[in-house]
Amino acid sequence: MIKRLCSRLWPKGLTGQIILVALAGLILIQLLSIQIYRTDREEALGFVNSRNAMQRIIAVVRLLSLSPPSLYDEILKASRSETLLLRLSDEPLQPDNRSPRFEQLVRSRLNYPAGLAVEISAELKEDTQRSKAWEHHARMMKDRKGPPPPRDMRLYGSIELPQGGWLQFSSLVDKEVGSWSWQTTLNLMLVASLVIGLMVLLFRRATRPLKQLAGNAERLGRGEDIEPLREVGPTEIRESIQAFNRMHTRLDRFVQDRTRMLAAISHDLRTPITSLRLRTEFLADGEDKDRIQQTLQQMEQMLAATLSFAREEGQQEATRELDLVSLLVSLCDDYADTGQPVTCLAEGKQVYACRTNTLRRVLQNLIGNAIKYAGSAEVSLERTKEELLIRVCDNGPGIDPARLEDVFKPFVRLDEARNTESGSVGLGLSIARTLVHQHGGELTLHNRAQGGLEARISLPL
């Protein structure tokens, strides 16, 4: 389920995929940067807070040492803050995990002799340490009850005073604005929008030649006459366009050369065949003469069909939009007007870009074969998400499944299966499949389960 949902949400285009990956990377980098910044800032603020708290505590110790006891309460009251609590006690706090660095700092600043104790616990990290620190902090705030404040405690401890007694203290971390805020979200969205906008412009400009290349490749596969593409875009795309243009030129030249050669050979062979036919006229009447003349007639029919195909191949028909339903209905009506049993099951309207005369010739060949070998034909049209399917069905004897592909080979006739009449040279289906291939489609034959043969034309959308 999750895999299917991700497949649906994942962009199909190259631009969308790159933008999605870049956006995900941008958000990840931003989150990591904020986390790193937050960690570093907390460490820096904690160190500064601890240093400032120690400076204030050292100043309070000096004042208490130089002032009479009657002023102690006023000094402590003036020195306390939201984050620093102070009180005098007859006993030390005895903190765990003492910090020699802070203790040495206090001794050096106060010039404390070894006989006076300094006990400080700083930079508390573990939960057990903070819990115990909060217990001391709660004792210093007799009027406060309940859970500890949301801020961490940076240090706590006690310093022995020269005149007797202990100064107990605890310091909390200053409040700070959360690292993630609406302003941060707005800035991230602004940066992401700018990045996406720039990437869309750049990738659309870079992939436009690719789309044109794909379109021309599709048109070339359908046999359309196309112009060479402009060689623009990044280096890799320009090289692809150059290779495509070279391929197009070579294919065009190859097809034209082969077509001209086929037409020339077919034309040149007509002269010796005509000469042989004249020579047979001087032969004595008999079975041999009739067989020779029949063979020469078949050769002339083959050459005529080959020349006709070569001429039509050399004349490129322009592609235009056509309503296939109207084409099928008109063809079936033409056959019905001559008394042929042809049924058309196509309805509605299906506009398709094709070469009208070429497709008409293919359909005439298939319908004509169905009528010739089965006595009737049924034509239908179906549209799917990916293709248009034209079916020409009959109720004849069908074809041996092992030889369904053989009928598409040039000059192959299945006399025993289709009872071919005299005059057929076996080029009709071969030419029909070639013409369908020029549209980017496929022509196949299938034996029907209820009997008969189905010629299926699939045209891509």
Side-chain angles (χ1 to χ4, degrees):
M1 183 66 181
I2 297 178
K3 184 177 181 180
R4 186 181 305 172
L5 180 61
C6 293
S7 178
R8 290 182 179 179
L9 296 178
W10 184 256
K12 301 299 185 296
L14 176 64
T15 302
Q17 292 182 7
I18 294 179
I19 290 177
L20 183 60
V21 172
L23 184 60
L26 176 65
I27 294 176
L28 180 60
I29 291 174
Q30 186 76 2
L31 292 175
L32 289 176
S33 300
I34 291 176
Q35 185 61 33
I36 294 173
Y37 165 76
R38 180 178 180 179
T39 302
D40 292 344
R41 187 167 184 264
E42 286 180 351
E43 291 182 357
L45 286 177
F47 180 76
V48 171
N49 288 339
S50 299
R51 298 282 294 190
N52 290 338
M54 291 309 304
Q55 295 294 338
R56 294 181 64 182
I57 293 170
I58 291 172
V60 170
V61 172
R62 288 175 176 169
L63 285 174
L64 292 175
S65 302
L66 299 176
S67 302
S70 58
L71 298 178
Y72 287 176
D73 291 339
E74 296 295 330
I75 293 174
L76 294 179
K77 184 177 179 181
S79 301
R80 292 190 184 100
S81 67
E82 183 182 358
T83 59
L84 179 63
L85 295 182
L86 302 168
R87 76 166 185 171
L88 293 175
S89 177
D90 295 333
E91 58 183 13
L93 289 178
Q94 296 180 347
D96 297 332
N97 304 101
R98 293 168 57 178
S99 175
R101 181 165 60 97
F102 280 92
E103 293 179 353
Q104 184 60 34
L105 174 65
V106 172
R107 286 187 177 277
S108 61
R109 295 293 180 86
L110 294 175
N111 294 323
Y112 254 37
L116 294 178
V118 177
E119 301 176 352
I120 301 175
S121 180
E123 300 178 358
L124 309 178
K125 299 183 182 299
E126 298 181 3
D127 293 338
T128 55
Q129 298 174 2
R130 293 175 178 176
S131 177
K132 187 172 183 178
W134 171 249
E135 292 178 1
H136 295 297
H137 185 82
R139 288 203 304 267
M140 298 176 65
M141 298 177 62
K142 296 180 180 179
D143 58 337
R144 182 182 179 93
K145 296 182 180 180
R151 288 169 285 165
D152 292 336
M153 187 174 297
R154 297 297 302 182
L155 58 87
Y156 76 104
S158 55
I159 301 176
E160 187 177 4
L161 299 176
Q163 63 273 29
W166 294 79
L167 175 64
Q168 296 181 354
F169 58 86
S170 62
S171 175
L172 302 177
V173 178
D174 286 338
K175 286 184 178 180
E176 56 175 309
V177 179
S179 300
W180 192 271
S181 62
W182 286 109
Q183 184 67 31
T184 304
T185 305
L186 182 62
N187 292 337
L188 179 59
M189 294 177 62
L190 179 61
V191 173
S193 300
L194 292 176
V195 171
I196 291 176
L198 291 175
M199 293 184 67
V200 167
L201 293 177
L202 291 176
F203 279 104
R204 280 188 175 178
R205 181 178 179 182
T207 57
R208 188 179 297 114
L210 280 179
K211 294 181 179 179
Q212 296 175 350
L213 177 61
N216 274 27
E218 179 66 21
R219 293 173 56 196
L220 178 63
R222 296 188 178 189
E224 298 183 26
D225 189 17
I226 61 175
E227 296 292 332
L229 284 171
R230 291 178 57 238
E231 298 174 1
V232 295
T235 302
E236 294 79 3
I237 297 179
R238 287 202 307 270
E239 292 176 353
S240 300
I241 295 176
Q242 291 172 359
F244 177 81
N245 288 336
R246 288 194 299 268
M247 181 194 68
H248 174 219
T249 302
R250 293 167 182 169
L251 284 176
D252 190 45
R253 184 171 61 243
F254 172 78
V255 171
Q256 292 180 2
D257 290 345
R258 295 297 292 268
T259 303
R260 283 194 296 266
M261 181 182 67
L262 180 62
I265 292 174
S266 301
H267 182 272
D268 293 342
L269 284 176
R270 299 183 70 176
T271 300
I273 291 175
T274 303
S275 177
L276 288 173
R277 178 179 289 278
L278 291 175
R279 288 178 183 273
T280 59
E281 296 296 331
F282 296 98
L283 297 175
D285 293 339
E287 184 178 355
D288 290 340
K289 179 180 178 179
D290 293 339
R291 288 183 176 180
I292 292 174
Q293 288 180 340
Q294 185 179 2
T295 301
L296 291 174
Q297 183 181 3
Q298 291 177 353
M299 293 177 66
E300 285 184 338
Q301 291 172 350
M302 290 181 181
L303 291 176
T306 304
L307 277 173
S308 176
F309 174 69
R311 292 192 189 101
E312 293 182 3
E313 189 71 10
Q315 298 175 355
Q316 289 289 343
E317 182 185 356
T319 300
R320 64 184 183 88
E321 291 189 346
L322 170 72
D323 182 10
L324 291 181
V325 176
S326 298
L327 175 62
L328 297 178
V329 171
S330 64
L331 279 174
C332 294
D333 289 343
D334 291 342
Y335 281 100
D337 292 341
T338 61
Q340 304 292 342
V342 179
T343 305
C344 182
L345 302 180
E347 296 179 351
K349 186 176 183 180
Q350 291 292 344
V351 178
Y352 189 75
C354 63
R355 293 187 288 281
T356 307
N357 294 330
T358 300
L359 192 57
R360 181 188 295 272
R361 178 182 176 186
V362 173
L363 293 170
Q364 286 175 338
N365 180 279
L366 298 177
I367 296 174
N369 284 344
I371 295 174
K372 183 185 298 184
Y373 302 120
S376 64
E378 180 183 280
V379 184
S380 63
L381 175 65
E382 178 186 353
R383 181 188 180 99
T384 65
K385 292 182 179 181
E386 299 178 351
E387 60 186 0
L388 285 171
L389 296 177
I390 301 176
R391 293 184 173 91
V392 179
C393 303
D394 63 45
N395 296 315
I399 296 178
D400 183 2
R403 305 202 64 187
L404 283 174
E405 285 297 318
D406 291 343
V407 296
F408 292 109
K409 297 178 182 178
F411 306 112
V412 172
R413 296 178 298 175
L414 305 181
D415 294 340
E416 70 280 6
R418 301 296 277 181
N419 196 17
T420 307
E421 298 178 359
S422 176
S424 175
V425 296
L427 274 178
L429 286 176
S430 178
I431 294 174
R433 172 174 273 189
T434 300
L435 297 178
V436 173
H437 285 172
Q438 290 179 356
H439 285 80
E442 186 59 60
L443 171 60
T444 55
L445 296 178
H446 307 270
N447 286 314
R448 304 171 68 191
Q450 63 271 33
L453 191 70
E454 175 187 305
R456 184 183 304 167
I457 300 174
S458 62
L459 300 174
L461 294 176

